[in-house]
Amino acid sequence: MAQLSVGVGYMQPNHISASKALNGIYAGVDCNINLSGDLGVAPGIYYSRSFVSSTSSSSFLSFSGTGTYTEDYVSVPLNFNYGLDLARDLRISIYAGPTFSYGLNSTYKYDASVAGISGSNTSDLYGNENYKKFDVLVGGGFAFDYAHRFRVALGYNYGMLDRNATDNGTFKRNYLHMGVAYLF
């Protein structure tokens, strides 16, 4: 027996080398396959977008600037789960497993104005070979199901790979995620 779910949610990625946490959204589907009793496995596919923006200004030469960092991923989680019925229409599950993630887009755009002269610059971080697109994360969390139709979930994923191809530092992607899903 298998149960399909469609979900959306909020995520807060935190790159180990970044000074600011990002905001993000995700959407996707998974299919929980019952292995035995209350034990299951849920492979899925999700799209996510994370972003952060920062602004700086100075009265010297009337300077102002805004930098925006955006990343898009497609991810394939493989979560093993165990659920318990708390009441007739309420079930709690814990889950854990790997997520295989591939970066589709990683850009940094900077818009600036100095003494009334404006300009902008966009960099594709995947355009050089120092930033790896593939990532493997390990995570877990818990979920509450109501009436076998609605789910609220909270989890955390930890990046296992250093995505920085240089020796200058470590770049790992971790994120907290929370969302809702409809179960078919």
Side-chain angles (χ1 to χ4, degrees), residues 4 12 16 23 30 32 39-40 47 69 71 76 78 92 94-95 97 104 124 138 141 156 166 175 178:
L4 182 70
Q12 187 177 40
I16 287 177
N23 291 302
D30 63 33
N32 190 47
L39 181 66
Y47 166 80
Y69 177 68
E71 285 196 317
V76 177
L78 183 63
I92 185 171
I94 59 171
Y95 62 89
L104 302 172
D124 176 8
V138 174
Y156 187 81
T166 68
Y175 60 90
M178 57 195 111

Side-chain angles (χ1 to χ4, degrees), residues 44-48 73-77 99-102 137 173 175:
I45 186 162
Y46 283 83
Y47 166 80
S48 65
Y73 291 92
V74 63
S75 298
V76 177
T99 297
F100 306 96
S101 188
Y102 186 78
L137 302 103
R173 183 173 68 111
Y175 60 90

Side-chain angles (χ1 to χ4, degrees), residues 23-37:
N23 291 302
I25 56 172
Y26 68 88
V29 298
D30 63 33
C31 183
N32 190 47
I33 302 164
N34 189 328
L35 297 176
S36 174

Side-chain angles (χ1 to χ4, degrees), residues 83-105:
L84 293 172
D85 292 326
L86 298 177
R88 188 176 131 212
D89 285 338
L90 186 61
R91 181 174 181 86
I92 185 171
S93 299
I94 59 171
Y95 62 89
T99 297
F100 306 96
S101 188
Y102 186 78
L104 302 172
N105 173 50

